[in-house]
Amino acid sequence: MRRFLLALALVAGLTPVSAQTRDWVTTWATALQIAEPHNRPPKPGLAGNSFRQIVQVSIGGKALRLHLSNLFNPDPTQILGVEVAVARTMGASPEIDEDTTVRLTFDGSPFVLMAPGASVVSDPVSFPLEDRMNLAITIHYGAISSTTLTSHPGSRTTSYIADGYTTDFSQPIAETNHWYTISSIDVKPYRRSAAIAVLGDSITDGRGTTTNGQDRWTDQLSKSLLTDPATRDLSVLNFGLGGNCILRGGLGPTGQSRYARDLFGHPGVKYIILFEGTNDLGGSRNAMATADGIKEVWTKIVQEAHQRGIKVFGATVTPVKGNGYYSPNHEAGRVALNEWIRTSGVFDGVIDFDRLVADPANPDRLDPAFLYENDWLHLNAKGYEKMGWGIDRGLFR
C-alpha cells in the first residue's frame, strides 16, 4: 500500500532521534508555504513536464530517501517518476553526472499520487552522498495544480523545466529560482550523526546571498562544523521563510503554527536554533508587547524540545536602524527581547548575532560592510559568512 501520510498525522506521528545515531538523519530540508501568484512556476508550468531542482546537502551518507509534500495543495499531485543524481554545479546549470542517476520508487512503484495535504517518502536507495554534495532531483509530473502549489519561494537556487517526460535538460524550456514539492532528504550516515534545525525568516532564508552560491549563514555554519572532528557529523536544516512572522501576519505559516512540523518532524534533530522576530517587531504597534509574545512562544518551544531531549539555542535579533522597521518603539522591543534571550536562562545557550554583525560605532544598526542593497535589514554574503563562522562550535560538542 502506498504511503499517503496526512500532514497532521506526519507532525503528530514522527518522533525524532534526539541523540547521535547511525539511523536516518535529515541532511537537507526546507520550510514550505503556498506559492504566491508571483512565485508560481513560469509557463508552461509543471503539469506534464519534467522539473530538475538542485540542493546542497550538509552531511553525507551511504543511502538516502526523499520526502515530497503536497501540504498546501487542495488537489492531488500526480508524479510519474523521480530520479536523483550528482549535480555538476550548485544550480548554475541543470547538468548532472549521468552515471550517478538513481531512480526512486514509492512502495516499489515509480509512480505516486499525493493526496491533498499529504506527504510521501521514497523507498531508501543506496547512494554515496558526500558532505556538501550538490544533488539534482528530477521530478516527472503528471497532473498538478497550476495555482495552489506547495513550495519554497526563496530557494536562491535555479530550477529547470524540460518539455514532457524526459531526462534531457540540455535545452530547458523555462527556469525559476523556486523549489516545488521537495521538502527534505534523509541519509543513513557513515558515522553517528545528528541534526541542527533552524527556525527563521528571510535572514535565515538567505536574502542577500549569492544565487546558486549556497552561502546562507546556515550553509556557512555547516561548512564550519565540518572542519571540526567533534562536530563534523552534524547536519544543518534551514527552515527560514522570507517575510515570516512568529506570532501573526507575515508570509507563509507563522512560526508558532509551523514549528512542530519543522523542528520536531525530522529524524536525528539534537539541536534547535531559534532566530526570528524581526518582522514581528517591525510590523508591531507595541513592540514591547510583541516581544513578550515571542518570549512565550520561545519558552513553549524550549519546553517541548527538552521533553524530547533536544537542546535549544536562542539567537538575538539583528539591528534594523536605517530600515522602515526602525523606531524608538521597535528598538525598545528588540533590545528587551535580546536581553531576555541573553539572560533569562530559558535557553541551553545563546548565539549573539546582534553583537556579531552590529556596527561597533553604532550598535543599533548593521555594520555597513555587511549591507545588502542598503536596506539596513538584510546582510550580504560577507555578513552571512560572519554569522555562520562566528557561531561557537563548542555549543554543539
Side-chain angles (χ1 to χ4, degrees), residues 1-5 65-66 68 79 82 103-113 119-125:
M1 185 176 105
R2 293 192 182 99
R3 283 164 282 190
F4 299 116
L5 303 178
R65 62 188 185 190
L66 173 68
L68 305 176
I79 292 176
V82 182
R103 172 174 287 190
L104 302 184
T105 59
F106 301 82
D107 284 336
S109 173
F111 168 89
V112 65
L113 181 67
S119 298
V120 297
V121 58
S122 72
D123 301 322
V125 293

Side-chain angles (χ1 to χ4, degrees), residues 53-127:
Q53 304 173 85
I54 295 172
V55 303
Q56 189 175 85
V57 303
S58 46
I59 60 171
K62 55 192 173 184
L64 65 79
R65 62 188 185 190
L66 173 68
H67 294 256
L68 305 176
S69 179
N70 207 41
L71 180 60
F72 297 107
N73 297 43
D75 303 309
T77 290
Q78 185 183 51
I79 292 176
L80 307 181
V82 182
E83 298 99 32
V84 294
V86 175
R88 290 186 173 174
T89 73
M90 292 188 289
S93 82
E95 295 177 274
I96 61 172
D97 184 343
E98 301 282 355
D99 294 338
T100 66
T101 301
V102 174
R103 172 174 287 190
L104 302 184
T105 59
F106 301 82
D107 284 336
S109 173
F111 168 89
V112 65
L113 181 67
M114 290 196 292
S119 298
V120 297
V121 58
S122 72
D123 301 322
V125 293
S126 296
F127 196 100

